[in-house]
Amino acid sequence: MATILIIEDDQRIRQSLSSRLAERGHDVDAVGTAMAGVESAVSGRFDVVVLDLGLPDLDGAEALRMIRSITEVPVVVATARDDESEIVRLLDAGADDYVVKPYSAEHLEARLRAVLRRSSAEPEQRVLTVGQIVIDLDAQDVRFEDRSLDLTAREFDLLAYLAERPGRMVSKRQILAEVWHQPYGGADKTIDVHLSWLRKKLGESAADPKYILTRRGVGVRLVDPDT
Ligand code: CA
């Protein structure tokens, strides 16, 4: 059960989402404008915020930036367009995840659960587990299906970065900045190459992915294939 803020101007969606999530035991507050949403979001009362991007009074990305500048509350953005450059922009602007309209309350709830799981994870946790992948950050050691995995330093950093955000789509721009410590500049082939090496070591391929799911033009996420 979570305390959820919904920022959505479409009254029909707002009411149906609110009641569906409330039926499932969540404590839900819903507002219809970006300004009311930002005001509520920064109250510190909510576990997670669902932010519609098409709001009448403020650009959704602008609202996201305002929320992000004040609070670390997880934000899931809801967008009407399955527009890759827009999604990348939002992930870069600090969105924790996104849903594309139309989406069901069940789908949204699954995303919220994943976001909440991540945000409540102990920050000092030094062993990351995603499915059969176990990463010991202190020992810089990875085990996969109970055997030790031989990774280069960069592969390790990349895998650990993804494993710290299980299920979350991260853009190549983020990876380049956080793992390679480089500004974005068309160097994403480097990331592709490292992902393909990692995939090989995890016994999968781009054609038959299990743990490493990529979406062209958007980014990559590490998932547990058994959940
Ligand atoms: Ca809208």
Side-chain angles (χ1 to χ4, degrees), residues 8-10 52 54-55 101:
E8 165 67 67
D9 62 316
D10 184 320
D52 173 39
L55 292 166
K101 291 182 172 182

Side-chain angles (χ1 to χ4, degrees), residues 152-173:
T152 65
R154 193 74 93 183
E155 288 165 355
F156 179 88
D157 290 347
L158 176 57
L159 186 64
Y161 182 75
L162 294 172
E164 279 167 347
R165 298 154 182 78
R168 172 172 172 180
M169 181 79 78
V170 293
S171 71
K172 288 183 180 172
R173 182 193 295 269

Side-chain angles (χ1 to χ4, degrees), residues 64 74 86 100 153 224:
L64 175 61
E86 177 67 7
V100 176
D224 177 355

Side-chain angles (χ1 to χ4, degrees), residues 37-38 47 67 69 75 82 84 105 113 121 123 140 147 176-178 185:
V38 170
D47 298 319
I67 293 171
S69 67
V75 178
D82 194 0
E84 289 168 354
R113 245 196 322 266
Q140 296 267 302
R147 58 195 166 76
L176 216 51
E178 302 291 329

Side-chain angles (χ1 to χ4, degrees), residues 87-106:
I87 293 167
V88 169
R89 196 163 72 92
L90 293 161
L91 293 172
D92 284 339
D96 291 84
D97 209 340
Y98 67 94
V99 285
V100 176
K101 291 182 172 182
Y103 55 86
S104 66
E106 289 74 17

